[in-house]
Amino acid sequence: MTNLLLPQEGTTAMKIGFIGLGMMGRGIAANFLRAGHEVFVHDLSETAVASFVERGAVAVGSPKALAEASELIFTSLPTPGDVLAVNGGENGLAAGLRRGTIWFDLSTNSVDVVRRLHKELAAIGVDFLDAPISGGPGGAASGKLAIWIGGSKSAFERCEPLLDQVADQVRYIGEIGAGTITKLAHNMASTAIKSVMAEVLTMGVKAGMEPLSLWEAMRSGAAGRMRGFDNIQRFLAGNTEQSSFALRLMQKDINLALQLGRELDVPMRVCAAVAQDVHEAMSRGLGAHDSQSVLVLQQERAGIAPIAIPEAEIRRVLAEG
């Protein structure tokens, strides 16, 4: 891997179309601009588009116009329905795509939708690859980002030097859908681990432990050294209203993972129980809060006061390794 934010030697500047300038997409699109590419942008938010135009991007009025202007297309959208919507209709991407174009969908999509789009677009000579991302908004901005890619290996290999400009963990996983399956497995595991952490921490606190001492000690154990216990920082700080990844989006990912399990006849009992908690949190109107807001339900069930460790103390523990 080379420097993520500088043009790579031998990499030609390209005309890149980018749809979806939200918390994840805006960091990646900005890094393509910074790397010297000509970037065409489209988003429902006029404010988001205007901020990119100020930095040198070109605004286009429709997905069709973006496809006509671009050699390579990226989408970063909230739901499978949104991806289908930007593709379809008289002003959708499909109406403007040209033979030889490559489209990377960075969204957390559903397996059936990415396979359907791959098949439909292959018929007109377009390579569609599912390429979900992981690393959070900070990782998208800094380039400390994973991209898990499924689809044509030859299309991936042609674009790998460019992808390396915006992510430090670019992996070809396999045939179409492989990236999406990886992302759904990752997000389901992440959510389940955080729910288990909420249960054991509330148990320890109710037994008389201080939450910071308990969490700090657990991190030094065998499982803790793997750092699977760390991604509960908003919950520990009592700061779940401020969102880096909204609960409604996590629920979408969980439902897609459980749907895939049902289709494959795979029992997922623990994951189904986690999904019930997420549904309860959503019914309380927490959809726009951070995904860790679901963990607050466990505090209430345990009958303990809200955990609110000062953020400086959390950063101290993390810095100590």
Side-chain angles (χ1 to χ4, degrees), residues 4-321:
L4 299 177
L5 303 182
L6 295 175
Q8 295 182 347
E9 184 177 351
T11 301
T12 304
M14 297 188 68
K15 295 182 177 180
I16 296 175
F18 207 103
I19 299 179
L21 302 173
M23 294 186 74
M24 296 297 289
R26 65 192 180 206
I28 300 169
N31 285 340
F32 278 134
L33 268 176
R34 197 173 291 122
H37 300 286
E38 186 175 6
V39 179
F40 300 87
V41 294
H42 180 75
D43 194 274
L44 294 177
S45 168
E46 294 181 1
T47 302
V49 171
S51 71
F52 271 83
V53 171
E54 290 176 359
R55 286 182 267 182
V58 178
V60 290
S62 69
K64 177 184 176 182
L66 181 137
E68 291 171 340
S70 306
E71 301 169 281
L72 188 64
I73 292 170
F74 290 83
T75 48
S76 180
L77 299 165
T79 71
D82 294 321
V83 178
L84 290 172
V86 300
N87 182 62
E90 62 181 16
N91 286 312
L93 283 172
L97 287 168
R98 296 167 294 175
R99 180 172 293 275
T101 302
I102 300 174
W103 172 5
F104 287 96
D105 180 35
L106 307 175
S107 317
T108 303
N109 211 322
S110 68
V111 176
D112 57 332
V113 165
V114 300
R115 288 177 174 166
R116 169 181 157 188
L117 286 172
H118 177 267
K119 183 177 181 179
E120 291 176 357
L121 295 172
I124 59 172
V126 172
D127 279 310
F128 175 90
L129 297 93
D130 60 317
I133 51 183
S134 182
S142 69
K144 293 182 178 179
L145 188 71
I147 307 182
W148 297 317
I149 297 170
S152 166
K153 189 171 186 180
S154 63
F156 161 74
E157 288 174 343
R158 292 199 302 275
C159 297
E160 187 175 8
L162 181 140
L163 296 170
D164 285 344
Q165 294 180 339
V166 297
D168 64 345
Q169 294 288 333
V170 177
R171 292 176 181 267
Y172 177 77
I173 308 298
E175 297 299 319
I176 190 68
T180 296
I181 294 167
T182 301
K183 179 64 183 291
L184 295 180
H186 173 276
N187 278 20
M188 186 71 257
S190 174
T191 306
I193 289 168
K194 283 183 280 191
S195 294
V196 169
M197 284 299 297
E199 289 190 2
V200 298
L201 284 171
T202 53
M203 175 191 70
V205 169
K206 196 163 187 179
M209 290 284 294
E210 290 295 328
L212 179 62
S213 297
L214 176 58
W215 176 60
E216 191 171 9
M218 288 178 64
R219 292 180 76 249
S220 68
R225 288 171 185 259
M226 299 176 190
R227 297 302 175 244
F229 296 167
D230 282 7
N231 195 20
I232 54 168
Q233 294 163 38
R234 290 189 183 277
F235 168 65
L236 291 174
N239 181 26
T240 58
E241 292 188 14
Q242 185 179 357
S243 173
S244 64
F245 182 47
L247 182 67
R248 62 181 175 81
L249 296 178
M250 179 57 75
Q251 183 186 46
K252 180 263 297 184
D253 294 357
I254 287 172
N255 287 342
L256 289 173
L258 292 176
Q259 174 188 322
L260 185 59
R262 288 191 296 270
E263 291 171 355
L264 299 173
D265 196 24
V266 175
M268 299 177 71
R269 296 177 183 176
V270 173
C271 295
V274 171
Q276 291 177 353
D277 275 359
V278 172
H279 178 75
E280 181 179 342
M282 288 289 294
S283 71
R284 296 195 188 189
L286 302 180
H289 291 199
D290 191 80
S291 57
Q292 293 182 29
S293 61
V294 66
L295 307 182
V296 175
L297 302 181
Q298 177 61 24
Q299 290 182 147
E300 298 175 4
R301 293 169 185 155
I304 66 170
I307 294 172
I309 301 170
E311 293 188 13
E313 285 296 294
I314 295 173
R315 290 194 295 271
R316 175 188 61 77
V317 173
L318 294 172
E320 290 174 354

